Amino acid sequence: MNQVPQVPRLSQDQRDPGAPSDRMGGVLLNVKGLTKKFGDATILRGIDLTVREREVVAIIGPSGSGKSTLLRCLNALEYPTSGSISFRGQPAFGTVGERGFMPLAERELNAQRSQIGMVFQRFNLFPHLTALGNVTAAPMWVKGLSRDAAESAGRQLLNRVGLADKAEMYPAKLSGGQQQRVAIARALAMEPALILFDEATSALDPELVGEVLAVMRDLAQLGMTMVVVTHEMAFARQVAHRVVFMDGGLIVEEGEPEQFFAAPKHQRTREFLSKVPQ
């Protein structure tokens, strides 16, 4: 019998986004020595990053520092040049050998990718499908859910992001903030263990940013594991368990938000924070 996808719901003591690390689970994602080159340009220069279950990691840094490329490698939208990514203790997407990256077979690759949702800067909704159609497409095509089951789950997810009354509307009739909330519901529909957010608010008018951040805060409180590339320093400070600062394809510094923002250790981090709104 087809099951309706559910977003994880945790006990009350797990719903604090600033909860101590001992309330998290085990390691979900482990990145070691990750590099990525495009021709002669080296974008990532040896990234080591660990993400635990129910952890929210905010990645900040200047444009061109490799943040988006890192996220695309974490979902196999780009293949690494060297290094490794493991997900739930298993090699993710393929292996790097003498001939470069050797991806898994398409079926295995898609199965792993379905566990890592991604929300893009530019929404990437199907313009010919309604909001509900966008949310139900992947569960029906990839997971084999019946239309009834997928639509029931899809309406629940649209309600969760505050769009129950927009289910039959097409993307062109929705505001940017509404489109991005549909994109979040679409990512949730696959019941991912991890969601990647690639500057999910940067394409929005300022008055629409808050409605998307509110949904992301709610997901954090529900215990969703999230890696968030963002320019929203207040979100990183208030919601993330850990903040990672990237520059020049490297992780320069990382730490818990209170320490990171109050007393950054690296001069480059201090320079960056002095130039961005807090």
Side-chain angles (χ1 to χ4, degrees), residues 252-255 259-270 273:
V252 175
E253 183 172 348
E254 61 182 292
Q259 175 274 321
F260 182 92
F261 286 103
K265 299 176 182 178
H266 199 281
Q267 177 61 28
R268 181 67 186 95
T269 311
R270 293 193 290 271
L273 292 177

Side-chain angles (χ1 to χ4, degrees), residues 102-117:
M102 302 296 292
L104 297 171
E106 192 70 18
R107 183 174 180 178
E108 295 174 303
L109 184 66
N110 288 337
Q112 283 195 344
R113 188 183 278 134
S114 71
Q115 288 296 299
I116 304 177

Side-chain angles (χ1 to χ4, degrees), residues 4-5 7 123-143 145-147 149-164 166-171 174 178-192:
V4 175
V7 175
F123 322 138
N124 288 4
L125 299 179
F126 296 117
H128 64 290
L129 296 179
T130 64
L132 182 61
N134 270 277
V135 174
T136 59
M140 292 170 59
W141 298 344
V142 178
K143 299 184 74 172
L145 280 183
S146 70
R147 181 175 296 277
E151 289 190 352
S152 176
R155 290 184 187 279
Q156 291 179 36
L157 290 170
L158 287 173
N159 182 61
R160 178 163 293 161
V161 299
L163 294 174
K166 307 295 184 184
E168 307 305 329
M169 295 186 69
Y170 288 87
L174 300 174
Q178 291 168 340
Q179 290 186 59
Q180 194 62 292
R181 285 186 280 157
V182 172
I184 293 172
R186 179 179 61 180
L188 290 170
M190 290 298 289
E191 295 187 278

Side-chain angles (χ1 to χ4, degrees), residues 12 21 23 40 58 69 82 102 107 109 118 146 153 166 173 185 189 193-194 196 209 215 223 236 251 272-273 275:
Q12 186 63 42
S21 60
R23 294 183 184 175
D40 294 332
T69 300
S82 63
M102 302 296 292
R107 183 174 180 178
L109 184 66
M118 189 156 181
S146 70
K166 307 295 184 184
K173 299 295 185 181
L194 168 66
L196 311 173
V209 169
V215 172
I251 292 179
F272 175 79
L273 292 177
K275 296 176 182 178

